[in-house]
Every structure is written in structure tokens, then in C-alpha cells.
């Protein structure tokens, strides 16, 4: 079983992008754009990581970026270690208003021990680290240790002329 420290180590170890599907752009599917990545860890211990990227085609502020880890444990299989979300509407009116704000979900050792492989809604952090999809990509890839993301997502990471200036 993974400890919280081991989970954080898996999230932050340096990684590079091995493949991107589709190779350029995004695939339209069910009202959203999608892209999937296969990553290589900086050490060769057989660890397998993938990234999923989803963005609503109609409400572009609604996106989800996630890092998955393929365990060697057949009962656990693949675990979503962390997920970065944009605001996706205030439809359930939770106390902290996280649906209306960028937020991050991280799985915990306790959740894994209980049998879940997805970070639960209760495990969230409202964040000001990013606001737009492009900012979220840069923060997400930096936080999960992906060192070569710029060459795969240059168009999404371009900033506007007046970004950061009022």
C-alpha cells in the first residue's frame, strides 16, 4: 500500500512525455476535447504514468487534468494520483464553493486503503495557482515533474499581450 509520502514522491518525480494522443491538437468527444499522454519517469523502475486532459467544448473554463499511476497491484490497478480542475459550475452548491473555482484533488493513502483509486470530492484544495486552462497546464506539468511539456502544448501556453498587467 502507498503512504502519503510515496504518493507525493510519485507525483513529483521528473518525467517526460513519451507519446501524445492525438499527436497534435485534441480529439472531440462527447462535448469535450481530449488528449492523453504516456509519460516516462526519470528512473527505470517500471513505473507507468499517464495523463488525461479534458476540456469542455462549450464552457472552456471547465477542464480536468489528471495524473494516473499504473500500480503493480492487480487489486488496485490504476490510481489517479492528482486531478487539477477548472470551475465547472455551481450546480450542487457545496459549502466551500469549489465548483465555481479552480481546485485540486489529491488521493490519500487512507482513500487507497479504503479501496478507492480516485481522489474523492472531499479531498480538494481551492487554488489561486492558476485561473485559465493555459495556466493550469503549466502549473500541473510543473507540479507533476514533466520537464518537456512546452514542445507538446506551445499553443495552449502562449500568453496574451496584456496578461499580468492591469
Amino acid at each position: 500500500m502507498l503512504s502519503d509520502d510515496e504518493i507525493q514522491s510519485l507525483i513529483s518525480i521528473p518525467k517526460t512525455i513519451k507519446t501524445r494522443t492525438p499527436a497534435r491538437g485534441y480529439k472531440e468527444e462527447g462535448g469535450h476535447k481530449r488528449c492523453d499522454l504516456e509519460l516516462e519517469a526519470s528512473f527505470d523502475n517500471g513505473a507507468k504514468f499517464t495523463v488525461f486532459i479534458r476540456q469542455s467544448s462549450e464552457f472552456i473554463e471547465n477542464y480536468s487534468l489528471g495524473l494516473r499511476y499504473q500500480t503493480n497491484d492487480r487489486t488496485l490497478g490504476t490510481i489517479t494520483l492528482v486531478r487539477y480542475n477548472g470551475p465547472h459550475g455551481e450546480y450542487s452548491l457545496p459549502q466551500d464553493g469549489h465548483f465555481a473555482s479552480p481546485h485540486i484533488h489529491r488521493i490519500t493513502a487512507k482513500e487507497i486503503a479504503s479501496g478507492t483509486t480516485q481522489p474523492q470530492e472531499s479531498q480538494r484544495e481551492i487554488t489561486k495557482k492558476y485561473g485559465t486552462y493555459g495556466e493550469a497546464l503549466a502549473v500541473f506539468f510543473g507540479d507533476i515533474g514533466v520537464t518537456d511539456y512546452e514542445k507538446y502544448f506551445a499553443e495552449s501556453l502562449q500568453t496574451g499581450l496584456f496578461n499580468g498587467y492591469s
Side-chain angles (χ1 to χ4, degrees):
M1 210 51 62
L2 295 171
S3 70
D4 286 331
D5 287 341
E6 290 169 324
I7 292 168
Q8 186 53 48
S9 177
L10 288 168
I11 292 170
S12 61
I13 60 170
K15 304 169 193 73
T16 56
I17 297 172
K18 183 176 178 182
T19 61
R20 175 182 168 158
T21 307
R24 304 182 117 228
Y26 297 85
K27 178 180 178 182
E28 290 284 337
E29 180 179 277
H32 67 270
K33 301 185 315 182
R34 72 176 288 163
C35 174
D36 297 289
L37 308 173
E38 185 179 342
L39 305 179
E40 286 185 323
S42 61
F43 57 89
D44 186 17
N45 72 345
K48 293 182 182 175
F49 296 95
T50 58
V51 165
F52 62 86
I53 297 171
R54 308 290 181 267
Q55 183 182 32
S56 172
S57 298
E58 293 183 24
F59 179 42
I60 62 170
E61 295 86 359
N62 181 0
Y63 51 83
S64 187
L65 317 171
L67 174 65
R68 292 183 175 138
Y69 169 63
Q70 177 63 49
T71 71
N72 293 325
D73 183 334
R74 286 181 185 222
T75 59
L76 283 178
T78 302
I79 298 173
T80 300
L81 299 173
V82 65
R83 191 174 73 241
Y84 286 47
N85 293 110
H88 38 97
E90 204 49 71
Y91 57 85
S92 69
L93 300 175
Q95 291 282 359
D96 66 0
H98 85 278
F99 285 118
S101 302
H103 54 281
I104 301 170
H105 298 273
R106 286 182 182 81
I107 199 155
T108 64
K110 183 177 179 181
E111 289 174 328
I112 295 171
S114 75
T116 187
T117 59
Q118 299 288 324
Q120 300 303 295
E121 286 299 314
S122 62
Q123 298 300 320
R124 64 181 174 260
E125 165 197 346
I126 294 175
T127 185
K128 294 190 183 296
K129 290 170 58 171
Y130 58 88
T132 66
Y133 173 71
E135 291 169 347
L137 280 174
V139 170
F140 172 74
F141 285 130
D143 287 355
I144 68 165
V146 175
T147 58
D148 63 344
Y149 65 91
E150 295 96 341
K151 67 182 178 184
Y152 292 89
F153 292 93
E155 75 288 347
S156 298
L157 298 170
Q158 292 175 352
T159 59
L161 179 60
F162 297 107
N163 286 5
Y165 299 97
S166 42

